[in-house]
């Protein structure tokens, strides 16, 4: 594997990890929105209810995009691994 491809793989791994952390944070936010922030405050101020309702609707879309992004990275790594395999087999025959 060349230095460039190893660098790209490492960067994609880092992005994958960041996306995992983002998903964890989204879970916390989603749970707070679902219970209408009851763990933080018993009463929402004017306008906060609308914000919570809006986020409650939109967070699942954001979570789906994070999952999709992580899947793209997994697909690329599988593709690259399968592409690299024949080169390594032929490399040993020389």
């Amino acid at each position: 594997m060349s230095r460039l491809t190893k660098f790209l793989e490492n960067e994609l791994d880092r992005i994958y990890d960041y996306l995992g952390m983002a998903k964890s944070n989204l879970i916390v936010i989603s749970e707070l929105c679902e219970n209408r922030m009851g763990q933080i405050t018993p009463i929402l101020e004017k306008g906060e209810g609308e914000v919570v309702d809006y986020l409650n609707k939109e967070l699942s879309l954001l979570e789906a995009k994070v999952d999709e992004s992580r899947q793209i990275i997994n697909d690329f790594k599988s593709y690259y691994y399968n592409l690299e395999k024949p080169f390594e087999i032929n490399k040993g025959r020389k």
Side-chain angles (χ1 to χ4, degrees):
M1 187 179 318
S2 74
R3 286 183 183 178
L4 177 60
T5 54
K6 188 63 178 170
F7 171 78
L8 292 173
E9 181 181 22
N10 288 339
E11 290 302 307
L12 286 172
D13 285 342
R14 188 180 327 228
I15 292 168
Y16 187 87
D17 291 343
Y18 289 149
L19 289 168
M21 288 184 273
K23 184 168 180 170
S24 295
N25 291 339
L26 284 171
I27 290 170
V28 171
I29 293 169
S30 295
E31 288 174 356
L32 288 171
C33 286
E34 285 172 6
N35 74 17
R36 308 227 4 114
M37 304 293 181
Q39 295 172 346
I40 296 174
T41 181
I43 300 171
L44 295 175
E45 292 182 17
K46 184 178 179 181
E48 288 180 332
E50 292 174 22
V51 170
V52 169
D53 291 341
Y54 176 84
L55 279 176
N56 210 15
K57 288 183 220 171
E58 299 297 324
L59 284 173
S60 61
L61 297 174
L62 187 55
E63 187 175 347
K65 289 181 182 194
V66 167
D67 289 339
E68 184 180 343
S69 299
R70 292 183 91 199
Q71 188 58 49
I72 289 169
I73 291 171
N74 282 334
D75 292 346
F76 171 77
K77 289 183 84 166
S78 293
Y79 161 79
Y80 184 73
Y81 175 76
N82 290 330
L83 183 70
E84 186 181 51
K85 230 176 181 177
F87 289 114
E88 289 192 10
I89 292 170
N90 290 332
K91 189 177 181 182
R93 292 183 182 171
K94 288 183 181 181

